[in-house]
Amino acid sequence: MDDLRIEEKDDAGNVTATYVGSASTEDGEGKGQGGGGRVDVVVSNLRVGVGDASASPTSALLLSILQESTGRIATIVFADRLGTALEPECKMYRLAADIFNDAAMLLDCLSPALPRGPRVVLLSSSSVLRALCGVAAGSSKASLSAHFAQWGNLGELNAKDSSQETVISLMGMLAGSVVVSYVSSPLATWSCLILLLSIHLAMNRAAVRAVSMHTLNRQRANIVFSTWLDQDKILTPKEVSLQERIFEWDGVLRWGGSDPLGRADIGLPLRHLLASLAPAHGLTGSIRDGEAKVMRLARLYSQEDFLIWYNAPQRVGHITLKEGATAESQLKAWCTLLWIARKAGGTHATGAAFEPMLDLHRTTLQETSSRWPSCMDRMRSAGWDLDIASLETTSGSRIRFQGRADG
């Protein structure tokens, strides 16, 4: 009899892990803000030594190098850690970019009041925030531009957007010049700055709330599927945009507007699902009865492009995607897991045993599969784009079964 063998691949198709089981052994393992920008220019000059008789050109140069270096390092780290999440969560990161930029401006304005040591830390933090703003704003803007280019006119849209930004920047510079001429005291300066930043954030929040995305990320999938399962109704993108939150916990499983049912991940390596099935050995990483459990789970989802396991006591769900999993398969996996979490929160809340949870997975999968084709047709009619996968917020992995799992 062949041993169970599962290969896991990354996005580039490279094999990153191999899981081997045996029946006789344990298994192995934006932009400136008009008047606010003008106020910040004066402070920026002070922070590099203008008006400070004790400052030297060398110290000002070293401070600029430190700021530039921290900003570039932050750009690399931020893009590496959160690059995959920027497109699915473009509305959140679009507003977050403005918050980063305004926070950096406030730190710049606070810096002259501090001694030289803390001032360097504050200005470095400001540079990091501006770097985060650049990455978040650039990526989210690209996703939003693609959303608004309904007729494939992305180039025209970007050209007009750049022209609008130029006009708004010029108007902001003129308004800022007028404001600065009347603002002289620290109290007036801070009052004006806080007022302008508050207006800026309020306007951007309203703009982000007005966008109705046609792709399903984790939060929108929670809203659509919970309404469908509860009321047999498919919400439109506009209706969902009125309910979704700009800032939501990553991976939260939420039934409508209720409290979180738990959390989930999708597309992560198989070891996360295996660790949830049973505790792993501290030294070898093997799982007791691991192959038997994985085999039963694999047979249950043999006709699907995914594996699901929900740990009811910890309220954590794991979705492992098979090689060739489509966007519709990912949506079905998320819908099934959401429904399992909903059921497990009630009568199965204390069902930590493997058998009761496996039965719950089986019945929920059967119910979802029987209604899934009609759900997809109704979602397309409602205006949802089901060909784009927006559920993964980290670099994903895919698995392929070999040996006995193939049959």
Side-chain angles (χ1 to χ4, degrees):
M1 182 178 294
D2 296 334
D3 290 341
L4 174 65
R5 181 183 178 89
I6 306 174
E7 285 187 354
E8 186 172 83
K9 298 183 179 181
D10 58 16
D11 293 336
N14 302 313
V15 177
T16 57
T18 301
Y19 300 85
V20 180
S22 175
S24 59
T25 61
E26 296 184 349
D27 295 314
E29 206 264 337
K31 304 283 183 180
Q33 275 49 265
R38 294 288 301 182
V39 176
D40 185 50
V41 167
V42 180
V43 181
S44 298
N45 289 331
L46 290 175
R47 74 188 183 210
V48 295
V50 176
D52 185 1
S54 62
S56 66
T58 302
S59 62
L61 177 61
L62 291 176
L63 179 58
S64 298
I65 293 174
L66 178 61
Q67 286 184 271
E68 187 73 15
S69 300
T70 54
R72 291 178 184 273
I73 294 174
T75 299
I76 296 171
V77 173
F78 185 72
D80 177 68
R81 297 297 298 272
L82 297 175
T84 309
L86 293 174
E87 183 174 358
E89 305 294 342
C90 59
K91 293 176 65 173
M92 180 182 73
Y93 284 107
R94 175 59 265 184
L95 183 59
D98 296 306
I99 296 175
F100 291 150
N101 188 71
D102 291 355
M105 189 176 297
L106 287 174
L107 293 182
D108 286 343
C109 293
L110 285 171
S111 62
L114 299 178
R116 184 164 298 178
R119 185 189 307 174
V120 171
V121 176
L122 201 67
L123 293 177
S124 298
S125 302
S126 169
S127 181
V128 169
L129 289 173
R130 281 199 170 85
L132 301 185
C133 169
V135 176
S139 301
S140 58
K141 178 183 175 181
S143 299
L144 292 172
S145 297
H147 166 75
F148 287 116
Q150 298 292 329
W151 295 279
N153 56 338
L154 185 58
E156 177 188 5
L157 186 143
N158 285 330
K160 291 181 178 179
D161 181 61
S162 298
S163 300
Q164 290 178 354
E165 287 182 354
T166 302
V167 173
I168 293 173
S169 296
L170 289 174
M171 294 175 61
M173 290 176 64
L174 293 175
S177 300
V178 174
V179 170
V180 168
S181 63
Y182 290 97
V183 174
S184 56
S185 66
L187 178 61
T189 300
W190 277 100
S191 300
C192 195
L193 178 64
I194 297 300
L195 175 63
L196 291 172
L197 294 183
S198 300
I199 294 175
H200 169 247
L201 291 179
M203 295 294 288
N204 276 279
R205 181 182 182 277
V208 169
R209 291 282 299 173
V211 177
S212 301
M213 302 298 293
H214 290 195
T215 56
L216 287 169
N217 63 1
R218 301 180 179 196
Q219 181 185 182
R220 290 189 286 273
N222 287 337
I223 297 173
V224 171
F225 292 140
S226 60
T227 304
W228 170 58
L229 294 171
D230 251 353
Q231 308 172 22
D232 194 26
K233 176 185 177 182
I234 299 296
L235 299 178
T236 64
K238 180 63 178 177
E239 292 172 328
V240 172
S241 68
L242 298 176
Q243 298 185 34
E244 69 176 317
R245 311 171 185 213
I246 298 179
F247 294 98
E248 176 66 293
W249 296 105
D250 183 39
V252 68
L253 293 170
R254 194 186 298 274
W255 194 265
S258 64
D259 293 333
L261 300 173
R263 60 181 179 86
D265 55 58
I266 179 171
L268 292 184
L270 183 62
R271 66 175 180 272
H272 295 273
L273 186 147
L274 295 178
S276 184
L277 275 174
H281 191 276
L283 296 178
T284 65
S286 61
I287 299 174
R288 183 176 299 277
D289 299 326
E291 186 192 13
K293 293 180 179 179
V294 172
M295 284 293 296
R296 296 185 64 182
L297 203 61
R299 281 194 290 267
L300 174 60
Y301 293 101
S302 61
Q303 302 301 316
E304 307 295 342
D305 291 334
F306 52 82
L307 297 179
I308 294 177
W309 183 253
Y310 183 72
N311 189 319
Q314 297 181 6
R315 301 200 304 168
V316 177
H318 303 280
I319 300 174
T320 300
L321 299 175
K322 298 180 183 177
E323 200 171 40
T326 63
E328 287 190 21
S329 298
Q330 296 183 34
L331 291 173
K332 184 178 181 180
W334 191 268
C335 177
T336 305
L337 180 58
L338 177 65
W339 206 355
I340 291 173
R342 169 72 167 181
K343 294 179 179 180
T347 57
H348 296 81
T350 59
F354 177 76
E355 291 297 335
M357 286 305 301
L358 190 65
D359 291 338
L360 178 61
H361 281 64
R362 180 180 295 105
T363 56
T364 305
L365 178 62
Q366 293 172 350
E367 294 170 358
T368 305
S369 299
S370 64
R371 302 172 58 183
W372 190 250
S374 63
C375 175
M376 290 291 96
D377 293 338
R378 293 171 62 187
M379 289 179 66
R380 287 192 176 90
S381 300
W384 291 105
D385 186 351
L386 305 180
D387 297 324
I388 300 178
S390 299
L391 295 176
E392 292 182 270
T393 56
T394 57
S395 297
S397 299
R398 301 293 186 269
I399 64 171
R400 180 179 61 183
F401 283 92
Q402 298 176 341
R404 283 175 291 169
D406 295 335

